[in-house]
Amino acid sequence: METDNPIEALEVPENTMIEMIKVSRTYVPDITALSDISLTVDTGEMFFLIGRSGAGKTTLLKLICNMEVPSNGLIEVAGYNINNLKGKRLAHLRQKIGVAYQDFKLLDDRTVAENVAIAMEVSYKNPQAIRQTVRDLLEQLQLTDKHNTITGELSRGEQQRVALARAVANSPRLILVDEPTGNLDANTTERVMNLLNRRNKSGATIVIATHDPTIYQKGNHRILELRDGQIHSLTRSNGS
Amino acid sequence: MNFWLAVFRQAGRNLRQTWASQLMTFLTVSLSVLIFAFFYLVYTNTIGASDRLSEDIRLIVYLEEEPGTAMQEQLLRKINNFDKTEEIRFISKADAYKRFAEQLGDDSDVLADMPKDFLPASIEVIPLKGLRGFNQIKLFSEYLTQLPGSEKVQYGQEWMERFYYFTQLLTIVVLLSGTLLILTATFMVAYTIRLTIMGRHDELELLKLVGATNSYIRTPFLLEGILQGFMGSIIGLTALYALFRWISIHFSGPGLLNLFHFTFLQPIIVISIVFISIGLCTLGSFTSIQKFLKI
Ligand SMILES: Nc1ncnc2c1ncn2[C@@H]1O[C@H](COP(=O)(O)OP(=O)(O)OP(=O)(O)O)[C@@H](O)[C@H]1O
Ligand SMILES: [Mg+2]
């Protein structure tokens, strides 16, 4: 269903956040990163993507946030065909999607606070609110003492948390997290998951790509396993 | 409100990060404004002087002999046939003698031994105001040479010719320096902005990813262009004004330069130059940033 018109978009069932139909992504010359993925993620769901390295998890997340375009198939986010969106519409949708990239994409020459603030600045939040949110987030992620540190000087685990803070800072409706706990100890991992769970409880849809069984085995979530770019299994965790 | 806050902060960062090339661009823009405005100033002053000179333009037709009344009327008709004139005056031999004597003043006794008709009779033709292009005067004089009884026609040919070619040359120089201004302003600014964009590619990419609108990304760069154009033209024009003051103080007074009543560029021209250079610089930065946004 092509919905470029926001009025039409409202008619799409509100409870579907991501809809992928037969999506493929190939890279030149002949690498098939994803093939024939069909998938629905409900609004408010916390959804896990697992699979070995190179299975296509990152590619899938990049397709959802329109950083990459699919070679084939249809992707709708919040009822919008995300690949038909341009200019202002695309920008506004992206403001509602928070992404923590696997490679962080932090600005290494800026402070931690500035990096976290960027996501809010582009949607013209007022400076005072921005400062407050940044402080709160850094505290939740145990980065308070790094507030004014240049991001390039942080450890990878710290950078990872800064990336996460930036992803959730603007209170996005959809949060995509790529490998959020790869460099973290158990305690910090739990803090990160607590933060994400809180966001999930307050209504955000969250998709997490991970290798870390400890975070997806708890709780009651759907887990999609990719293998060589294809859906291997879709299961539900029934942990404590 | 917050939009402008963000824009100014971003523009400030750009300036801080690439101030050296910004400074170069700014100097280049000032210099080209200075060069262009300088030639334009010379041009307008020359045109002014040439207008003032041509107020006094008269063609003097020397006649072989004193024309009778009938002859005078015939000549009048012929001259007016070619073109309307401001005034036509006949000067008899006696008149010419009298004028010459007046011009000599106290020395007029040297004329005492000369016959009163040793100067030729002549006709003074003052052409119409509108008809004063160099080529028209030339044609007119050629026509007057062919009048019956005309010996020769004088109007300061050589001088006028030189002046004419000088203004022609100036026109070309003004056009060239105008082109220079356009090129430097547009391309230098486009180039510095492209440099800034390349230096901050990661950041701008990230801004797009977190949902910055195109205008959020574009406006700081446009602002830079506006700033470059504004500052560049103001400094260029100020330098020209200083130069102008210096020249008019040091070169006014008696002499040929008196011909030039130096006047500075009119306010409307000054304002136009400022706005045009702002426009060009903004255009330069716009094309650069637009290229980036399209990717
Ligand atoms: N820009 C690219 N050009 C070519 N091939 C690519 C590109 N991006 C990804 N690939 C390939 O697509 C496949 C899937 O990559 P992807 O990054 O999605 O894996 P992943 O599941 O995220 O792996 P990891 O767990 O290591 O992060 C890999 O084989 C990778 O080499
Ligand atoms: Mg990955």
Side-chain angles (χ1 to χ4, degrees), chain A residues 197-235:
Chain A
N197 279 322
R198 272 200 299 280
R199 292 308 173 108
N200 184 231
K201 286 224 174 63
S202 57
T205 309
I206 302 184
V207 180
I208 303 174
T210 185
H211 291 288
D212 185 353
T214 60
I215 63 173
Y216 61 79
Q217 278 168 357
K218 279 187 209 153
N220 182 10
H221 313 290
R222 288 198 296 157
I223 303 165
L224 179 78
E225 183 174 353
L226 290 173
R227 197 168 281 184
D228 297 328
Q230 288 176 322
I231 294 181
H232 176 71
S233 66
L234 184 57
T235 53

Side-chain angles (χ1 to χ4, degrees), chain A:
Chain A
M1 185 185 337
E2 300 237 345
T3 45
D4 221 17
N5 181 339
I7 306 294
E8 263 174 62
L10 292 177
E11 292 165 13
V12 170
E14 262 291 311
N15 52 17
T16 301
M17 180 56 84
I18 303 169
E19 173 99 62
M20 299 180 97
I21 302 169
K22 291 185 171 299
V23 173
S24 303
R25 176 64 171 136
T26 50
Y27 290 104
V28 279
D30 58 350
I31 300 162
T32 306
L34 285 176
S35 73
D36 218 14
I37 304 288
S38 293
L39 165 70
T40 306
V41 176
D42 295 337
T43 302
E45 192 176 354
M46 184 182 266
F47 189 89
F48 285 89
L49 280 176
I50 61 172
R52 315 197 168 92
S53 180
K57 303 182 294 294
T58 300
T59 308
L60 189 64
L61 293 181
K62 283 179 175 172
L63 287 172
I64 294 170
C65 68
N66 195 25
M67 206 178 139
E68 301 260 1
V69 285
S71 316
N72 257 311
L74 177 74
I75 304 174
E76 283 184 2
V77 175
Y80 293 95
N81 178 343
I82 195 160
N83 299 301
N84 283 352
L85 283 184
K86 289 218 171 54
K88 218 173 213 155
R89 290 254 199 86
L90 177 60
H92 286 153
L93 186 60
R94 277 174 163 175
Q95 288 174 12
K96 292 280 152 226
I97 304 176
V99 189
Y101 300 91
Q102 193 169 15
D103 57 355
F104 310 149
K105 296 194 191 305
L106 296 171
L107 303 176
D108 288 343
D109 55 347
R110 304 279 182 82
T111 67
V112 168
E114 284 174 322
N115 267 285
V116 177
I118 281 182
M120 290 177 277
E121 283 170 4
V122 299
S123 51
Y124 312 132
K125 293 267 154 59
N126 89 55
Q128 211 171 335
I130 292 179
R131 271 195 296 276
Q132 188 56 46
T133 309
V134 169
R135 262 199 300 272
D136 287 352
L137 278 172
L138 292 186
E139 195 187 327
Q140 290 175 50
L141 293 170
Q142 281 185 307
L143 288 168
T144 303
D145 53 332
K146 305 291 180 194
H147 188 277
N148 292 321
T149 310
I150 300 297
T151 313
E153 296 166 1
L154 298 178
S155 75
R156 285 192 64 76
E158 287 163 339
Q159 291 182 348
Q160 195 162 39
R161 279 174 283 156
V162 176
L164 184 74
R166 186 183 63 197
V168 301
N170 203 26
S171 311
R173 307 297 307 137
L174 172 61
I175 302 173
L176 308 176
V177 198
D178 201 344
E179 208 63 63
T181 57
N183 301 290
L184 305 181
D185 57 87
N187 188 317
T188 322
T189 298
E190 196 170 327
R191 277 187 169 264
V192 166
M193 287 317 293
N194 281 343
L195 173 63
L196 288 173
N197 279 322
R198 272 200 299 280
R199 292 308 173 108
N200 184 231
K201 286 224 174 63
S202 57
T205 309
I206 302 184
V207 180
I208 303 174
T210 185
H211 291 288
D212 185 353
T214 60
I215 63 173
Y216 61 79
Q217 278 168 357
K218 279 187 209 153
N220 182 10
H221 313 290
R222 288 198 296 157
I223 303 165
L224 179 78
E225 183 174 353
L226 290 173
R227 197 168 281 184
D228 297 328
Q230 288 176 322
I231 294 181
H232 176 71
S233 66
L234 184 57
T235 53
R236 189 172 276 278
S237 69
N238 281 309
S240 50

